[in-house]
Amino acid sequence: IIGYYNAVKRSWSDVGVYQRQKLDVLAGMEKIVKDGKDCEKSILTNIVKLRENITQLKEGEIEVENLGAVHALTGSLDVSLENYPDIKTHSLLLKNMQQLKELHEDISASIRIFTRNIEIFNTYIESFPASFVNKAFTKKARVQEYHDTQAENEMEYKPNF
């Protein structure tokens, strides 16, 4: 009885571990998207400034101030664009999406194991002679079965339990 009960607890812990890993991956994805957004915003800002400074240059006149600003912004933009492929936002997001998919599969599998362990435990404590041992010594109650009400509500078929 205790062994089956511990298997139920252990399998529920596995579900929690995979959920925690999923949350960690999501937090990482959030940071990647934010960092990519900040970089792209910086590049866009520099492009707008560069365009404004170029349009302020007058043909035939030497404007050292505007020319210096254009030169500085061009250099800044070149550095940003050269470093942009190193950010690899797209490939990092694809990698994280793959991790999320795998974690989702792991969570689904661990929930199946958990529900199976509940079934084994509940059946065991209700079966003879373990039911007498349980009532006299261990006094373990049935573990509530796992239900996903959202998924169950979307199904047409409802068994008559």
Side-chain angles (χ1 to χ4, degrees), residues 29 70 72 85 91 116 138:
M29 286 178 73
V70 167
S91 61
R116 178 68 178 136
T138 57

Side-chain angles (χ1 to χ4, degrees), residues 81-121:
L81 291 175
E82 284 174 10
N83 290 332
Y84 190 76
D86 293 338
I87 295 171
K88 300 176 186 165
T89 304
H90 179 71
S91 61
L92 288 173
L93 283 176
L94 287 177
K95 179 183 170 192
N96 281 348
M97 290 301 292
Q98 181 61 34
Q99 285 179 324
L100 275 178
K101 179 181 176 241
E102 291 170 7
L103 284 169
H104 182 73
E105 291 169 359
D106 291 342
I107 290 168
S108 296
S110 63
I111 289 173
R112 283 191 300 276
I113 292 167
F114 173 65
T115 56
R116 178 68 178 136
N117 284 336
I118 289 174
E119 176 191 358
I120 291 168
F121 173 74

Side-chain angles (χ1 to χ4, degrees), residues 58-96:
K58 296 178 181 144
E59 193 173 322
E61 293 182 28
I62 298 176
E63 297 181 39
V64 177
E65 196 174 294
N66 278 342
L67 193 57
V70 167
H71 182 68
L73 285 169
T74 303
S76 170
L77 191 59
D78 285 344
V79 169
S80 296
L81 291 175
E82 284 174 10
N83 290 332
Y84 190 76
D86 293 338
I87 295 171
K88 300 176 186 165
T89 304
H90 179 71
S91 61
L92 288 173
L93 283 176
L94 287 177
K95 179 183 170 192
N96 281 348

